[in-house]
Amino acid sequence: MTYQDLFETIRKKRSYLCVGLDTDPAKLPKHLLDHPNPVLEFNRRIIEATAPYCVAYKPNTAFYEAMGSQGWELLRQTLELIPRTHFSIADAKRGDIGNTSKMYAKAFFEDMKADAITVAPYMGADSVQPFLEFEGKWTILLALTSNSGSQDFQVLNVDEDHCLFERVIKTSQVWGDKHQMMYVVGATQTTELQAVRKLAPDHFLLVPGVGAQGGSLEEVSKWGMNRHCGLLVNASRSILWASDGEDFAEAAAAEARRLQEHMSHYLEKYLPSQQHD
Amino acid sequence: MTYQDLFETIRKKRSYLCVGLDTDPAKLPKHLLDHPNPVLEFNRRIIEATAPYCVAYKPNTAFYEAMGSQGWELLRQTLELIPRTHFSIADAKRGDIGNTSKMYAKAFFEDMKADAITVAPYMGADSVQPFLEFEGKWTILLALTSNSGSQDFQVLNVDEDHCLFERVIKTSQVWGDKHQMMYVVGATQTTELQAVRKLAPDHFLLVPGVGAQGGSLEEVSKWGMNRHCGLLVNASRSILWASDGEDFAEAAAAEARRLQEHMSHYLEKYLPSQQHD
């Protein structure tokens, strides 16, 4: 999916919602446990129910790895369930020396067929570049995350004008452009969104932290939106666990629709009117 | 394996060698390809051949993930092949928000039964703490890596006295102690080892970059060794691919023994004589 395709999808669906498929088997609705493959069935029904209201899905690899080799297969099958009309993100936060990052890129882009992968920036250029070499695929670099630990290193000043996460955004723009790279920017830190937009006015930002983590969707939209929307806002727990009864999929759809309706409103309010490029 | 156990093993075997099991199926000796499970057979023979000369093994998860769900099972089976007398490290470089890192910890400590996992520090305290909560297990935090990209962010000054990797070492010592935490310090940067030892005099360091990446084993030993050795020096490619013929295991053993003999010499030369504590 290209930059322009993604924007067209967002405009058409009036949504920039990404649904996080962080499926913890311990939290599954009890009636599903009799199903031969409860995790996959849960994901299938969540995807079917929420597809009208979102533009992207993002399984976090940790939840699947915790299920062992069967979990790895479930992750692959989950990525297969995501319709080609939707953007798929493997939230893997990988990153290693060059020849090793290339193996991760193969795993997620070739075997798993994800459109995008999240990557940790700590190891620098040669740990990120192998991901950027895959044409038509996206690298989503961690910049400012939404957890409390983001304050430990990401906000340390590294020169007179920049803290670490700003430097990550600045330096990485030499490695790739807005057509292949996005940034993770935590929604619980809305004031920093302005700083991010100064450095990366045109890039898409993947914004976690709305919903269970408490970020404000309106603040994110107000300060983060650019001429091509430039936002994918993720919600996981508030959608997946909206109900633990037999109506879990309907409840997930209702929560996804609620977020989409807000997004539709914010697109009208904050998206500059007509786009041509 | 405890801190003291690890030191005893090193002293007994006169070795602080870690063998990196970064098994790229494209590089396997041709005669193995007829075997029903060539990757596992390769690892089994490498482990058998090198076990007398090393104290630890470190499969890098990327090489296994690139093989799909079968690869994930091969990783588990490879970790099972590592004798209980040897320290096992899942080189996974994971790290995510707290509830997600806990899933990674379960995957590698419970399902895979690894003694240790490598963790990326970028997301701070709550991304690392879930790993430290597993008793008897080790967290090996990336500090200064051996690749060229380490110069992009890790060496940036974050205050008058510390650059980022030094701050990572300093801050993380509040999270855990030398009995549960080690640091990755790249061997291609021997001058920085002195700075690391000022901040973490007693911790074990996992040192990649000796061998194919060109680090000097003597420099690492001279500047990195502490009263309990405090070093695990990793070699992967120089051992695994010492020969691509039928003698690959013997060639791997020869290279491992060569490194072990140097290590035996450096233990005599640089390890302070008698240890009691």
Side-chain angles (χ1 to χ4, degrees), chain B residues 66-116:
Chain B
M67 294 182 248
S69 51
Q70 184 211 7
W72 198 253
E73 184 60 20
L74 286 171
L75 174 60
R76 206 184 54 72
Q77 291 170 335
T78 296
L79 281 158
E80 268 179 6
L81 286 177
I82 299 171
R84 300 305 302 159
T85 47
H86 289 64
F87 190 70
S88 63
I89 303 166
D91 193 359
K93 301 187 175 68
R94 297 299 197 267
D96 209 309
I97 62 173
N99 74 318
T100 308
S101 270
K102 193 176 167 183
M103 292 288 159
Y104 282 129
K106 281 176 65 161
F108 289 100
F109 291 151
E110 289 183 355
D111 181 49
M112 295 271 180
K113 297 188 174 56
D115 292 318

Side-chain angles (χ1 to χ4, degrees), chain A residues 58-78:
Chain A
K58 178 177 77 64
N60 186 304
T61 55
F63 291 85
Y64 300 86
E65 292 181 21
M67 294 182 247
S69 49
Q70 186 212 4
W72 197 254
E73 184 59 21
L74 286 171
L75 174 59
R76 205 183 55 70
Q77 290 170 335
T78 296

Side-chain angles (χ1 to χ4, degrees), chain B residues 16 187 190 193 207 209-211 214-225 231 233 258-259 262-263 265-270:
Chain B
Y16 40 99
T190 48
L193 273 164
V207 184
V210 164
S216 156
L217 179 58
E218 175 148 21
E219 289 295 302
V220 168
S221 306
K222 184 174 176 183
W223 298 108
M225 204 175 282
L231 291 174
V233 172
R258 190 186 70 78
L259 289 166
H262 283 289
M263 288 177 178
H265 174 62
Y266 299 142
L267 280 166
E268 260 173 57
K269 196 167 170 188
Y270 299 117

